[in-house]
Amino acid sequence: MTTVVIVGAGPTGLTLACGLARQGVEVRVIEKAAAFHPGSRGKTLNPRSLEVLADLGLAERLAAAGRTHLPFHKYFAGEFVSEAEPFAGVRPTPTAPYPASLWLPQTRVERLLRERLAEYGAKVELASELVDFRQDGAGVEVRLADGGRIAAEYLVACDGGRSTVRKLLGIPFVGEGDPEPVMVCGDVEVEGLEPGVWHQWFGPQGVFMLCPFEGTRRWQLQASPETDADGRMVAPSLESFQRLAALHTGRADLRLTEATWLSTWRVNVRVAERYREGRVFLAGDCAHVHPTAGGLGMNTGIQDAWNLAWKLGYVLRGLAAPALLDTYQEERLPIAAWTLDVTSAGMAAVMDGIRTPGTGVEVGRVGDLTGLALGYRWGRLAAGRPADEGVESADGLLRAGDRAPDAPCTGPDGEPARLFERFAGDHFTLLGFGPGARPALAGLPGHVRPVQLDDSDGTAREAYGITGDTLVLVRPDNHIALIAPATAREEVLGYLTALNAAG
């Protein structure tokens, strides 16, 4: 029996597959398309997603494939107005090694994740379409379009906003959407335009944008749709893109060629009423869709998968009771609601600014879009914390449920290291601040890694807000499980035991 079937081979499904395969869980990733999607689609990984993918060993490969700084050239009614760079001057810090988003097309992210998955011994099965499934208390049987069947313990739907799995479950997709396309999109080659800059033309006739990709001749085009004499939208095509370029830029020398992806985009703001039905889970766009402002789509899906991967793995490996799986919806559904709110506000700001000279897409950055301040303070896995905390740690005080910061530390052989290097993997980490914590780090269960922090320069103490000798238990997804006095070893062990308790 296959342990987990994942439907959909986008960033969400692939991140989940890698997170499970790394734990030794058998996975099958099925994808109904006969070939991998050629379009760029999402084009940024935010800092939190970069931390997630770095934990999977992809940091250097991603850095080589993308860029962290991208100037915006803003035009109004065809005339250059100003230049901006949202991450200008932003540099890594001891607590955040990836302070800026990485610009690269979703196709490259998916390719790198597929390569990593292959290193774990699994691959994507193309032209493999789920048409139905049934489940009971023992497992799930997946039925494929070609008549094949797969028996599994769990099924995870990562099959997008039109999810077949969600529809078969009958889970309402609550919200609203615009029936008419508000944007045409595509990948093109461009002649006559300065590379290395995201060019954004706003004005009375709408918006026209061309964003380049590092190491390629390809640009992503996003624009207000062309309409015919009767006001009807003209289907996206290279010819239509060329006419839109002339209309918005006023330039006769700008030539678009080689359109390889043609699409339309509609505003949809929807969230699944629930993320789980028995042994079936929803993740990524299957569970929530929202405006593009802030570039959170691919990122939110990756972070859904990161939350679910360790929990599914722990249950399947006998390290936690099935009740742990209930915390997936408990933690991620409020994040989706927050995401819908901030992206809707961001899209409204962009649309309001289209007719204002000097406005660019950066006005859509409403709230913290880095993902670094998002946490799960309200959840049952945040030991000893109130249940009414918001999703952002706005007060700056680190608490259970928050993302665990990076900081310098000592490696297992006494060499200089970083906390993120010690966190990497599928284990809990118990940080011991100060000499009084040393006794609590001995004789821990095999899935808990002890890290002693003498922290002579105080960087880690400052990052964690620690003053005295203290224990900090960090989850496999690098969120804080609990903060306790150095003498509270039994509290730590009790937390771990409770994960494996029945119910």
Side-chain angles (χ1 to χ4, degrees), residues 100-342:
S101 292
L102 185 73
W103 301 85
L104 77 174
Q106 183 173 323
T107 46
R108 293 190 193 177
V109 177
E110 291 174 354
R111 184 175 70 243
L112 291 173
L113 281 165
R114 289 196 302 270
E115 291 172 0
R116 191 64 175 134
L117 183 61
E119 292 166 6
Y120 291 129
K123 64 179 182 179
V124 175
E125 302 174 35
L126 291 169
S128 185
E129 181 181 2
L130 177 149
V131 293
D132 201 359
F133 64 88
R134 63 178 181 84
Q135 63 170 316
D136 56 29
V140 184
E141 183 183 69
V142 174
R143 302 174 185 180
L144 304 177
D146 64 3
R149 301 192 178 198
I150 305 172
E153 292 192 48
Y154 291 97
L155 169 66
V156 185
C158 306
D159 52 344
R162 297 186 177 93
S163 171
T164 298
V165 175
R166 190 192 65 242
K167 292 174 182 176
L168 288 171
L169 288 170
I171 295 177
F173 208 29
V174 181
E176 58 186 18
D178 191 332
E180 296 299 323
V182 297
M183 188 171 288
V184 291
C185 314
D187 290 340
V188 296
E189 294 186 7
V190 181
E191 297 177 10
L193 196 61
E194 179 185 354
V197 174
W198 189 0
H199 298 268
Q200 304 170 13
W201 286 269
F202 284 20
Q205 294 168 311
V207 61
F208 182 83
M209 301 188 290
L210 288 166
C211 181
F213 292 122
E214 186 82 358
T216 176
R217 293 167 57 94
R218 311 302 297 169
W219 298 65
Q220 186 185 85
L221 180 149
Q222 297 169 290
S224 302
E226 181 183 22
T227 56
D228 61 19
D230 296 322
R232 293 173 299 194
M233 192 199 86
V234 175
S237 66
L238 179 60
E239 294 74 21
S240 176
F241 287 170
Q242 186 66 63
R243 290 192 295 268
L244 286 169
L247 173 68
H248 289 275
T249 70
R251 292 178 51 176
D253 63 326
L254 200 62
R255 184 163 179 261
L256 310 184
T257 61
E258 301 296 326
T260 56
W261 171 52
L262 303 170
S263 186
T264 59
W265 180 78
R266 296 167 172 81
V267 174
N268 268 294
V269 184
R270 300 182 187 277
V271 64
E273 193 172 81
R274 56 189 182 279
Y275 281 14
R276 180 186 184 186
E277 186 73 36
R279 290 179 170 267
V280 183
F281 296 84
L282 311 182
D285 287 353
C286 169
H288 44 73
V289 293
H290 48 80
T292 58
L296 291 179
M298 175 166 57
N299 294 286
T300 306
I302 286 171
Q303 291 158 38
D304 283 347
W306 193 237
N307 184 285
L308 181 58
W310 78 269
K311 295 173 180 177
L312 260 179
Y314 267 50
V315 169
L316 290 164
R317 293 161 60 199
L319 295 172
L324 177 64
L325 299 176
D326 294 335
T327 67
Y328 168 61
Q329 173 177 304
E330 178 182 278
E331 294 186 337
R332 292 305 297 175
L333 192 52
I335 296 292
W338 175 89
T339 302
L340 268 59
D341 287 345
V342 298

Side-chain angles (χ1 to χ4, degrees), residues 460-483:
R461 283 187 176 275
E462 182 179 357
Y464 281 76
I466 301 299
T467 54
D469 291 0
T470 305
L471 299 175
V472 178
L473 184 65
V474 179
R475 298 168 14 171
D477 61 353
N478 301 358
H479 282 265
I480 294 173
L482 66 81
I483 302 172

Side-chain angles (χ1 to χ4, degrees), residues 340-428:
L340 268 59
D341 287 345
V342 298
T343 55
S344 296
M347 179 59 71
V350 172
M351 298 306 293
D352 287 345
I354 284 177
R355 292 170 176 79
T356 303
T359 299
V361 296
E362 75 277 4
V363 299
R365 296 184 61 82
V366 178
D368 174 28
L369 303 183
T370 67
L372 300 181
L374 302 185
Y376 312 122
R377 293 181 175 184
W378 61 85
R380 75 188 76 172
L381 296 183
R385 296 298 170 189
D388 58 352
E389 298 283 1
V391 301
E392 293 181 276
S393 54
D395 58 12
L397 299 175
L398 203 63
R399 300 175 185 170
D402 291 347
R403 161 193 170 270
D406 195 9
C409 68
T410 301
D413 297 323
E415 75 280 8
R418 303 195 65 84
L419 286 181
F420 278 7
E421 295 169 349
R422 307 302 306 277
F423 293 164
D426 54 29
H427 54 269
F428 277 80

